[in-house]
Amino acid sequence: MAKVFRSPARHGYAVEVSPFIPNRVACAAAQYYGIAGCGTLLVLDETETGICLVRSWEWSDGLFDVGWSEANEHVLVAGGGDGSLQLWDTANHSGPLRAAKEHTQEWDPTLSPSLTTLRGHESVIYSTIWSPHIPGCFASASGDGTLRVWDVKSAACRLAIPAHKAEVLSCDWCKYDQNILATGSVDCSVCVWDLRNVRQPVNRLLGHTYAVRRVKFSPFSKTVLASCSYDFTVRFWDYSRNQPLLDTVEHHSEFVCGLDLNLHIPNQVVDCSWDETVKIYTPVCLSDGAHSTAP
């Protein structure tokens, strides 16, 4: 049974669980489905009985992504539709700590607004993810259909994978293997890639009927991942199986845009949707213990 938080007139685009506080979640949302109006950053706590609002802030444009700092438990970064990045402090009741408007992929708020600009993609970049294994390495997914792996020290693209024949909206790194990444695309598929051999995916996961908005690997099982889609569903997969689809969760009435798996609580999932809700739950396919530990 999911716990539900409703944010009237705010349509969810991204959620992320705090890396420090097990029951704390941030959600980036927008008015009018992100087409017009302002944005709202929500900080929520799961309680025994439900989900409560800790704090919220308004921004002048829609907010479409959010991430917690891994160095400071109170600090968040949010991405706005006006091209801005804002740093927010949950211990500070006023506005953002800092806002910058830079077309960059690296930004250190304690230094100059832009550390460096890395170029190579030929269209909009929808998703980036730091490698949890290799310092100074990150991946990016783009509307040009490619997944690219970058090296910050040399400011160069180390690998460009023609991952899909459509826009790639999301990518994530396996927590247990530095060579494994997943991509989600407008072509309705999730592909799992091994960087040692990128001629074809390790597995192509089919089942979604509309674009895949986000993919996330499990922090507790090497081969399990989740995806959410504009088809209103969240799907759970084990890419090592011949029949990889574990379960389909249909508990939203609009696009599901945000998805995360809790690093602290095994098999707990958080998602958000255009239906104005954030939901926290443990899917049956993961709670049976079959996928609770990494190999």
Side-chain angles (χ1 to χ4, degrees):
M1 189 72 177
K3 293 178 180 177
V4 182
F5 179 85
R6 186 169 296 279
S7 54
R10 295 295 185 272
H11 305 107
Y13 268 92
V15 287
E16 187 162 288
V17 180
S18 166
F20 295 98
I21 305 170
N23 66 323
R24 182 153 292 179
V25 175
C27 176
Q31 276 186 309
Y32 303 111
Y33 305 97
I35 298 168
C38 67
T40 304
L41 179 61
L42 304 163
V43 177
L44 310 169
D45 275 359
E46 181 193 13
T47 67
E48 288 187 6
T49 57
I51 306 172
C52 67
L53 178 67
V54 176
R55 191 154 299 147
S56 67
W57 295 273
E58 298 293 305
W59 188 249
S60 56
D61 207 318
L63 295 179
F64 300 109
D65 208 358
V66 64
W68 288 95
S69 165
E70 295 191 4
N72 186 321
E73 67 183 74
H74 300 296
V75 174
L76 292 142
V77 62
D82 56 1
S84 70
L85 294 170
Q86 312 105 40
L87 283 180
W88 304 84
D89 186 344
T90 61
N92 183 344
H93 290 269
S94 60
L97 294 173
R98 181 167 180 174
K101 198 167 183 178
E102 297 288 331
H103 296 286
T104 69
Q105 289 169 298
E106 262 200 295
W107 181 47
D108 184 341
T110 65
L111 302 173
S112 63
S114 172
L115 293 177
T116 186
T117 300
L118 306 178
R119 302 188 185 279
H121 282 298
E122 297 173 1
S123 185
V124 58
I125 297 166
Y126 287 107
S127 175
T128 59
I129 182 74
W130 286 102
S131 168
H133 312 282
I134 307 166
C137 177
F138 69 94
S140 58
S142 168
D144 63 14
T146 67
L147 171 70
R148 290 177 182 258
V149 178
W150 305 84
D151 176 58
V152 171
K153 188 174 181 180
S154 62
C157 175
R158 291 301 186 191
L159 190 61
I161 303 167
H164 298 264
K165 293 180 180 179
E167 291 187 300
V168 187
L169 302 183
S170 182
C171 62
D172 195 31
W173 224 295
C174 176
K175 278 64 171 177
Y176 294 95
D177 191 329
Q178 67 179 13
N179 294 301
I180 301 295
L181 291 99
T183 53
S185 171
V186 170
D187 67 9
C188 309
S189 74
V190 174
C191 286
V192 180
W193 300 94
D194 187 328
L195 300 182
R196 294 164 294 191
N197 181 3
V198 298
R199 286 176 294 180
Q200 61 183 20
V202 174
N203 207 333
R204 189 165 183 252
L205 310 176
L206 301 175
H208 284 296
T209 55
Y210 286 98
V212 177
R213 185 64 187 88
R214 293 186 194 270
V215 292
K216 289 279 185 172
F217 272 100
S218 166
F220 292 97
S221 183
K222 181 179 179 180
T223 59
V224 170
L225 64 156
S227 57
C228 67
S229 168
Y230 295 149
D231 65 10
F232 304 179
T233 72
V234 179
R235 294 176 191 251
F236 297 90
W237 316 84
D238 184 338
Y239 75 82
S240 68
R241 296 187 174 193
N242 289 330
Q243 300 294 327
L245 182 61
L246 300 175
D247 196 11
T248 301
V249 174
E250 301 180 71
H251 63 186
H252 286 289
S253 59
E254 257 293 355
F255 294 169
V256 188
C257 295
L259 176 68
D260 199 16
L261 283 79
N262 198 315
L263 294 168
H264 311 276
I265 302 172
N267 308 317
Q268 186 183 80
V269 180
V270 182
D271 61 39
C272 70
S273 167
W274 275 15
D275 64 11
E276 306 175 351
T277 64
V278 176
K279 298 192 176 186
I280 300 176
Y281 58 102
T282 301
V284 174
C285 67
L286 302 185
S287 61
D288 62 8
H291 300 280
S292 60
T293 58

